[in-house]
Amino acid sequence: MTTKDLSRNSQALPSVLENFLRPWTDWTSFRDFDISPLTVPAVNVVENHKNFEMTLAAPGMEKNDFKIELDSNVLTISSEKEDIVEDKGDRYSRKEYNYASFRRSFTLPESVSKDKIDAKYENGILKVKLHKKEDAIKATVTKAIEVK
């Protein structure tokens, strides 16, 4: 007759607990959101001759979720998304609320034309184009100087 040591069977106990706790972990996860409530999206800013281009990665959002405001020379990009999931079964009822938000503010340089700011959201990326003033564009024109 052989004896079996239960402590060596590492698969039995974890699977029982895993199956027992699975509904709780499924209910508390943020798997339906690509942005968790504690995440602030990274922003890339590129300057070229005519404008500044800002790109902000925010997958899972919609264009109506964004709010872009200009106050004096401070550009603020914010977003709020709320999702309510309701699940009813024969013996249970569950309602889950998920909420994600962020807010980023940027001080714009004087060279930006406050009247020419465009924003577009596509494929999870928010693109904000900040056009430069005409005199700023002229000031950055490269001029070749002849050597005599």
Side-chain angles (χ1 to χ4, degrees):
M1 181 175 166
T2 61
T3 59
K4 198 173 204 180
D5 186 3
L6 291 177
S7 64
R8 293 182 193 254
N9 188 357
S10 61
Q11 300 270 337
L13 188 58
S15 67
V16 171
L17 285 175
E18 184 177 299
N19 289 337
F20 177 73
L21 294 175
R22 181 170 290 137
W24 177 251
T25 57
D26 286 348
W27 291 353
T28 58
S29 70
F30 288 99
R31 69 187 185 288
D32 295 330
F33 282 104
D34 290 324
I35 298 177
S36 73
L38 302 176
T39 302
V40 177
V43 176
N44 294 321
V45 180
V46 175
E47 180 181 8
N48 60 41
H49 179 66
K50 294 185 178 184
N51 55 45
F52 292 91
E53 294 179 4
M54 300 173 67
T55 55
L56 183 137
M61 307 299 268
E62 297 176 21
K63 69 178 187 175
N64 296 333
D65 295 331
F66 293 99
K67 185 177 182 182
I68 302 173
E69 296 177 318
L70 181 64
D71 183 11
S72 190
N73 67 333
V74 177
L75 181 74
T76 301
I77 301 171
S78 60
S79 177
E80 294 183 2
K81 184 172 179 90
E82 184 176 7
D83 190 26
I84 301 171
V85 177
E86 192 168 351
D87 188 13
K88 292 186 179 187
D90 293 338
R91 297 173 49 199
Y92 67 91
S93 178
R94 170 178 69 99
K95 198 174 219 183
E96 180 179 338
Y97 299 90
N98 289 324
Y99 182 78
S101 69
F102 72 86
R103 181 180 183 94
R104 298 282 312 257
S105 294
F106 306 90
T107 302
L108 301 181
E110 292 297 321
S111 61
V112 170
S113 175
K114 295 176 185 173
D115 298 329
K116 294 183 180 179
I117 299 175
D118 303 317
K120 183 178 183 180
Y121 181 71
E122 188 174 62
N123 298 326
I125 304 290
L126 176 66
K127 295 180 181 180
V128 180
K129 189 178 280 189
L130 308 160
H131 300 273
K132 291 182 180 178
K133 295 177 184 174
E134 287 299 320
D135 57 341
I137 293 172
K138 290 177 184 176
T140 59
V141 171
T142 305
K143 179 179 177 183
I145 300 173
E146 180 183 343
V147 179
K148 295 180 184 180

